Amino acid sequence: MVIKTELAAVSVVVPAYQEAASIVEALTRLSMVLGTTDRDYEIIVVTDGCTDNTAELARKIGLPHLTVLEYAQNQGKGYALRYGFARTAHPLVSFIDGDLDLDPAVLPAFFALLDSGAADVVVGSKVHPESQVSYPLKRRIASRVFRLATRLATGLNLGDTQTGIKAMRRELVAPLIARCTATGFAFDLELLAALSDHGAQVVEAPVILNFDFTSTIRISSAVAAFADLAKVSVHRRHLRRLEARAGSSL
């Protein structure tokens, strides 16, 4: 007789901003994937100050495991993820963007890594050799430059910190995410730096990226990204000094 081990339940936080065009298909696809995992699960959509009908459309799907949260003012992706994380109920937590770019089909493999103890946090990576993604040379160069800058500024030895799909152990991450201050896209980098500082086992895993990258890279966005990187680096050094002082006073 085969004894089936009960799998850890998972909460999936979906940050969404102006995603009316994609949210129904994205959540339907996500629910279908989670339904194949034999896990209890919940999906928490956080509509980040949307002025379209993203929240209304999400609710109309009528998924039994779906909660839609919203607030009036746009606060940034990092804020939305922290807001949703604070309201999760299950031992495993995953983040996935609310558009159709990242295929949730990879999530069961992420959860398996957590179940096996091979990882505390699984980070989707566009540069993983098994990832299915193709994007223009300009995008590749920009990504490589930012990854190099990230490694120099923080010491993080990760190929990709910004891809919007991750999975983690809630108990480990909860006290660290509460200390994060970034509200925008730098949140991912800040959280991963904190996890690295506290000895978490972070593993990169392949993704399936369907986005055609038709948008252009704006100089203002690049400047903002490097400014966020500098802020995270400074904040991280400050926390390290505080922890060192606390340790020396014991």
Side-chain angles (χ1 to χ4, degrees):
M1 185 176 87
V2 177
I3 299 176
K4 186 176 179 181
T5 302
E6 184 176 355
L7 297 171
V10 62
S11 301
V12 182
V13 179
V14 183
Y17 179 66
Q18 310 294 67
E19 299 291 357
S22 61
I23 195 66
V24 172
E25 185 177 348
L27 293 177
T28 301
R29 182 191 298 177
L30 174 61
S31 180
M32 289 177 62
V33 170
L34 294 173
T36 68
T37 63
D38 294 326
R39 300 174 187 269
D40 288 335
Y41 69 89
E42 64 176 352
I43 300 171
I44 300 176
V45 177
V46 182
T47 58
D48 182 28
C50 296
T51 57
D52 63 5
N53 60 340
T54 299
E56 179 185 358
L57 289 172
R59 290 193 179 97
K60 281 185 176 179
I61 304 172
L63 295 174
H65 304 283
L66 176 65
T67 300
V68 180
L69 306 175
E70 57 184 320
Y71 41 81
Q73 185 175 355
N74 177 248
Q75 302 284 351
K77 178 181 174 181
Y79 182 95
L81 288 172
R82 292 208 315 267
Y83 189 90
F85 185 94
R87 289 153 179 81
T88 57
H90 296 318
L92 301 185
V93 177
S94 177
F95 299 154
I96 184 169
D97 290 346
D99 51 32
L100 291 168
D101 300 341
L102 289 161
D103 194 327
V106 299
L107 284 176
F110 284 27
F111 303 151
L113 286 169
L114 298 175
D115 287 335
S116 69
D120 297 314
V121 178
V122 183
V123 178
S125 173
K126 295 187 297 293
V127 299
H128 191 284
E130 296 177 22
S131 286
Q132 299 176 38
V133 55
S134 176
Y135 53 107
L137 180 61
K138 287 184 179 179
R139 287 277 183 173
R140 295 189 183 192
I141 293 173
S143 295
R144 288 175 182 173
V145 170
F146 189 76
R147 288 197 299 271
L148 176 60
T150 297
R151 190 167 298 181
L152 291 173
T154 66
L156 283 176
N157 189 26
L158 293 173
D160 187 1
T161 61
Q162 301 306 114
T163 299
I165 183 167
K166 298 174 174 66
M168 61 207 72
R169 301 182 192 282
R170 189 185 191 284
E171 184 179 16
L172 174 71
V173 174
L176 299 178
I177 203 172
R179 297 169 55 184
C180 291
T181 60
T183 57
F185 289 95
F187 166 80
D188 299 80
L189 179 57
E190 184 179 23
L191 177 59
L192 289 171
L195 288 163
S196 176
D197 287 343
H198 287 79
Q201 188 171 8
V202 181
V203 173
E204 293 183 272
V207 299
I208 302 171
L209 183 63
N210 301 315
F211 188 37
D212 60 6
F213 287 89
T214 54
S215 62
T216 58
I217 301 173
R218 298 179 181 178
I219 293 178
S220 59
S221 298
V223 171
F226 281 99
D228 283 345
L229 174 58
K231 290 177 184 177
V232 168
S233 181
V234 170
H235 182 63
R236 187 186 188 199
R237 288 198 297 270
H238 175 65
L239 288 177
R240 282 178 163 179
R241 286 195 295 268
L242 291 177
E243 290 176 353
R245 289 173 186 172
S248 63
S249 65
L250 295 178

